[in-house]
């Protein structure tokens, strides 16, 4: 069962790590490319701030974003800001998100995210944690998939494995990490594949990050399967 109190504490800790790391950069570094194609580090920071505000909308019953076009425009508008503006926005938007979670509320209720996706309110803190942690990695400033906690990595692997389950364009895939760490994903068509390796490599493949599973052992099938974009 999801523990939203635990996840909110993890969001606070992850946000503090991010702010500490970003504060060591300068304006020139923010303009450099991140690990995400077409996005500078500034784009990632702008996205993280606007995502926090979007999740406030979710909790308060409004559309997550006005539109996809407006979301993208906000990120482009804010990407080139100076470091101090980014830091202030990240800190303030993160605080607004956490403040929205403080009043007593029905955590078992269903809320609507982007593109008609729905989820329990209690799962939203973990979704925010995923944004902060994975995009910290995406900044390409020394925080790697292997630096993520074991608890986070295992939960995100399970979440993404479930996301790709039943997809006809993905063959049946068994993911094997350490002892007792087995996940299943994909559809029912095609030759079954088993991928084994470290959990950070498994997460990298599922999330389309890092070396995208380049160091995973592949058994059967037609090689490492390609996943749709997240």
């Amino acid at each position: 069962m999801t523990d939203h109190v635990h996840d909110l504490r993890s969001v606070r800790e992850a946000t503090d790590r991010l702010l500490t790391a970003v504060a060591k950069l300068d304006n020139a570094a923010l303009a450099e490319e991140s690990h995400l194609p077409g996005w500078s580090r500034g784009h990632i920071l702008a996205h993280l701030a606007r995502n926090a505000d979007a999740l406030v909308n979710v909790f308060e019953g409004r559309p997550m974003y006005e539109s996809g076009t407006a979301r993208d425009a906000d990120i482009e508008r804010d990407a080139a800001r100076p470091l101090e503006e980014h830091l202030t926005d990240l800190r303030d938007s993160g605080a607004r998100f956490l403040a929205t979670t403080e009043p007593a509320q029905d955590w078992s209720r269903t809320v609507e995210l982007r593109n008609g996706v729905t989820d329990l309110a209690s799962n939203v803190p973990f979704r925010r944690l995923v944004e902060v942690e994975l995009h910290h990695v995406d900044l390409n400033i020394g925080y790697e998939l292997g630096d993520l906690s074991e608890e986070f990595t295992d939960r995100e692997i399970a979440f993404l494995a479930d996301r790709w389950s039943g997809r006809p364009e993905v063959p049946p895939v068994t993911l094997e990490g350490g002892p007792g760490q087995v996940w299943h994903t994909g559809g029912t068509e095609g030759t079954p594949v088993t991928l084994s390796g470290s959990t950070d490599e498994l997460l990298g493949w599922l999330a389309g990050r890092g070396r995208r599973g380049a160091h995973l052992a592949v058994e059967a099938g037609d090689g490492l399967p390609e996943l749709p974009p997240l």
Side-chain angles (χ1 to χ4, degrees):
M1 182 177 294
T2 300
D3 182 349
H4 66 272
V5 175
H6 169 76
D7 289 343
L8 287 168
R9 184 166 57 249
S10 297
V11 169
R12 290 185 181 92
E13 294 168 353
T15 301
D16 286 344
R17 282 194 299 273
L18 175 69
L19 287 167
T20 298
V22 171
K24 298 175 182 178
L25 304 178
D26 56 27
N27 292 334
L30 293 188
E32 294 174 355
E33 291 185 1
S34 70
H35 281 317
L36 295 182
W39 270 18
S40 67
R41 293 186 178 111
H43 282 88
I44 289 178
L45 299 182
H47 163 62
L48 280 170
R50 301 288 69 77
N51 172 262
D53 285 339
L55 292 177
V56 170
N57 289 337
V58 168
F59 273 116
E60 295 183 348
R62 297 186 296 272
M64 187 169 179
Y65 294 100
E66 179 182 332
S67 67
T69 300
R71 169 187 175 273
D72 295 344
D74 286 347
I75 293 171
E76 287 295 334
R77 179 197 65 207
D78 295 341
R81 294 177 302 180
L83 174 63
E84 287 304 317
E85 291 187 23
H86 275 294
L87 288 170
T88 298
D89 194 13
L90 280 169
R91 189 177 300 109
D92 291 350
S93 60
R96 286 192 295 270
F97 167 72
L98 291 173
T100 306
T101 69
E102 291 173 357
Q105 56 191 287
D106 178 9
W107 286 95
S108 67
R109 73 188 188 279
T110 297
V111 295
E112 185 170 348
L113 304 165
R114 290 184 67 198
N115 303 320
V117 173
T118 59
D119 203 349
L120 297 179
S122 59
N123 291 333
V124 173
F126 183 70
R127 286 179 176 270
R128 175 60 182 173
L129 180 61
V130 170
E131 292 287 330
V132 175
E133 289 285 56
L134 290 188
H135 284 316
H136 191 165
V137 172
D138 293 334
L139 285 171
N140 187 22
I141 55 176
Y143 193 67
E144 306 294 340
L145 291 171
D147 295 318
L148 299 168
S149 72
E150 181 179 354
E151 177 202 1
F152 173 85
T153 299
D154 288 354
R155 286 180 67 187
E156 181 62 355
I157 288 174
F159 175 82
L160 291 174
D162 181 69
R163 176 169 183 162
W164 301 128
S165 291
R167 296 288 291 266
E169 67 270 42
V170 181
V173 180
T174 298
L175 305 165
E176 297 180 348
Q181 293 179 308
V182 179
W183 299 269
H184 300 279
T185 193
T188 58
E189 301 177 11
T191 304
V193 182
T194 297
L195 305 179
S196 57
S198 64
T199 52
D200 60 296
E201 286 282 341
L202 292 172
L203 176 57
W205 176 71
L206 284 165
R209 285 169 163 83
R211 294 178 292 272
R212 298 177 185 266
H215 292 172
L216 292 173
V218 183
E219 298 179 21
D222 300 316
L224 189 68
E226 288 289 331
L227 292 174
L230 280 173

